[in-house]
Amino acid sequence: MESPARELARRLGENAEAVCRHYLSNGRREGHYWLVGDVHNAPGRSLYVRLSGSEGKPRAGKWTDAATGDHGDLLDIIAASCAHMSLGETLAEARRFLSLPLPDPVKRNPRPRRASPGSREAAARLWAASKPIAGTLVPTYLADRALRRGGDLPALRYHPHCYYRRSEEDAPSVKPAFPAMIAAVTDLDGSLMGVHRTWLDPARPAKAPVAYPRRAMGHLLGHGVRFGLAGEVMAFGEGIETMLSLREVAPSLPIVAGLSAAHLAALLFPACLRRLYVARDDDPAGRSAWAALNERALPLGIAVHALEPQRDDLNTDLRRFGPARLAENLGSQLTPVDAERFLGR
């Protein structure tokens, strides 16, 4: 008896051209093959799907990507096209395409409930499907921004094919998935509240060529991406690269990266916090967030100090001037005791 996946792959193969026209719409038929750029429906001719088969030849629905050597069946095509995170999602989509009824619920495991897009549950599933950054595109991307300290960065993970929802500003040729740096957004207890995605260009150390290469999802307000344990002294600011720039010269200083000026203003303070350094942006949103933070922090006995970059942000300073000059500029803005403790001055 065939397994459900094998049976569905066979049925899809019997309708191979229809499957290709639906999920690989940027390709075209040539003879017995459907030609397209890759499994993500990019224009091109690298990937070819066999549309018919006979005794002694690969059956219909089998595909090979000549550029990468990857190969598979039409279930793989559907999974990539829809950016599925589980086999169950792909089998359900295949049944929908083939107009087949769902299997008897008595004879199968219950299908996991689909998480609402953008929800905390969806963020947790994406985090679970991601992996540590060692040996991935993430360290190369960060190093190109002069962020080379490395070390233990458990707040960051990597997903090789993270779904990207196209916007009106994106070109029609933009792929539905890219590699991505996934950052954990956590609360004061370390519980995952959401994730921040930075889509990456697979060919060079840069963000993906899309209109919005950064997006967050989940329950975010008041939380952030944390590097280091909370203490009496902490630093907070907008942007992961901005705050990792501070870590390059003050690696023992606990830092929190917010996701916007609104999140900067709403940061939840740990009970032990006594001094908060804020890497603020000199724009209306940044100034408003700074004022809101001060208003909330002062009654709690928390002193708030600004960290002002020489250019537009700390990462620009690090890349343009180097770590020594960045440390010199920050050292003049930290209290003497903090400059000695965190910068070795």
Side-chain angles (χ1 to χ4, degrees):
M1 182 177 181
E2 285 185 308
S3 69
R6 187 182 295 274
E7 179 187 3
L8 285 170
R10 177 179 57 76
R11 292 196 180 208
L12 290 169
E14 293 170 353
N15 298 273
E17 184 170 350
V19 175
C20 291
R21 290 190 181 279
H22 184 79
Y23 295 101
L24 298 176
S25 56
N26 287 325
R28 65 177 183 176
R29 177 168 185 158
E30 290 193 13
H32 297 293
Y33 295 93
W34 188 268
L35 304 182
V36 72
D38 59 25
V39 294
H40 300 295
N41 197 27
R45 300 168 56 87
S46 174
L47 184 144
Y48 52 95
V49 183
R50 190 169 187 88
L51 301 179
S52 61
S54 59
E55 189 70 27
K57 294 183 178 181
R59 73 172 187 265
K62 291 292 186 177
W63 59 269
T64 299
D65 190 327
T68 65
D70 292 339
H71 55 88
D73 58 28
L74 291 173
L75 285 174
D76 301 312
I77 297 294
I78 292 175
S81 174
C82 300
H84 289 155
M85 296 172 60
S86 71
L87 177 60
E89 290 179 293
T90 303
L91 298 183
E93 172 65 16
R95 290 188 182 98
R96 184 202 65 78
F97 179 83
L98 294 167
S99 300
L100 295 176
L102 292 175
D104 185 350
V106 175
K107 298 180 180 180
R108 67 182 182 99
N109 294 327
R111 180 183 176 186
R113 181 175 61 86
R114 183 187 293 272
S116 301
S119 67
R120 182 182 173 188
E121 182 182 358
R125 291 187 181 184
L126 178 58
W127 180 253
S130 304
K131 64 181 183 179
I133 64 173
T136 72
L137 296 177
V138 174
T140 305
Y141 166 76
L142 294 176
D144 190 62
R145 281 141 191 78
L147 302 171
R148 302 185 177 91
R149 179 168 289 278
D152 188 19
L153 294 173
L156 300 181
R157 286 188 182 178
Y158 173 76
H159 195 290
H161 299 290
C162 184
Y163 172 68
Y164 176 77
R165 187 183 72 254
R166 282 192 291 254
S167 70
E168 293 181 355
E169 292 89 341
D170 282 305
S173 59
V174 167
K175 296 179 181 181
F178 288 88
M181 179 174 73
I182 311 296
V185 179
T186 57
D187 64 10
L188 294 175
D189 296 323
S191 298
L192 186 75
M193 306 303 291
V195 295
H196 180 271
R197 296 155 291 175
T198 302
W199 282 277
L200 305 177
D201 191 320
R204 59 194 182 95
K207 290 184 281 293
V210 296
Y212 298 100
R214 303 174 190 269
R215 286 176 182 162
M217 61 192 294
H219 179 200
L220 309 172
L221 198 63
H223 311 304
V225 181
R226 302 174 190 276
F227 301 93
L229 300 176
E232 293 185 356
V233 183
M234 297 182 66
F236 185 66
E238 291 185 54
I240 294 170
E241 290 90 338
T242 293
M243 298 313 293
L244 286 178
S245 300
L246 178 56
R247 182 176 175 271
E248 288 290 305
V249 298
S252 61
L253 175 63
I255 60 177
V256 182
L259 309 174
S260 68
H263 291 92
L264 181 67
L267 172 69
L268 298 177
F269 304 129
C272 60
L273 184 62
R274 292 296 171 264
R275 252 185 331 280
L276 179 65
Y277 291 98
V278 180
R280 66 175 185 174
D281 291 347
D282 189 19
D283 56 27
R287 289 190 290 271
S288 176
W290 167 260
L293 269 177
N294 268 291
E295 185 176 350
R296 293 175 48 231
L298 292 179
L300 300 175
I302 301 171
V304 183
H305 301 266
L307 295 179
E308 304 282 1
Q310 293 179 280
R311 299 296 181 180
D312 57 326
D313 62 36
L314 296 181
N315 190 244
T316 299
D317 285 5
L318 176 64
R319 298 170 71 182
R320 179 167 297 184
F321 305 124
R325 186 164 165 184
L326 175 62
E328 181 181 358
N329 177 49
L330 294 174
S332 65
Q333 301 180 66
L334 300 178
T335 66
V337 65
D338 290 338
E340 180 178 358
R341 175 182 176 186
F342 297 113
L343 297 175
R345 292 176 172 268

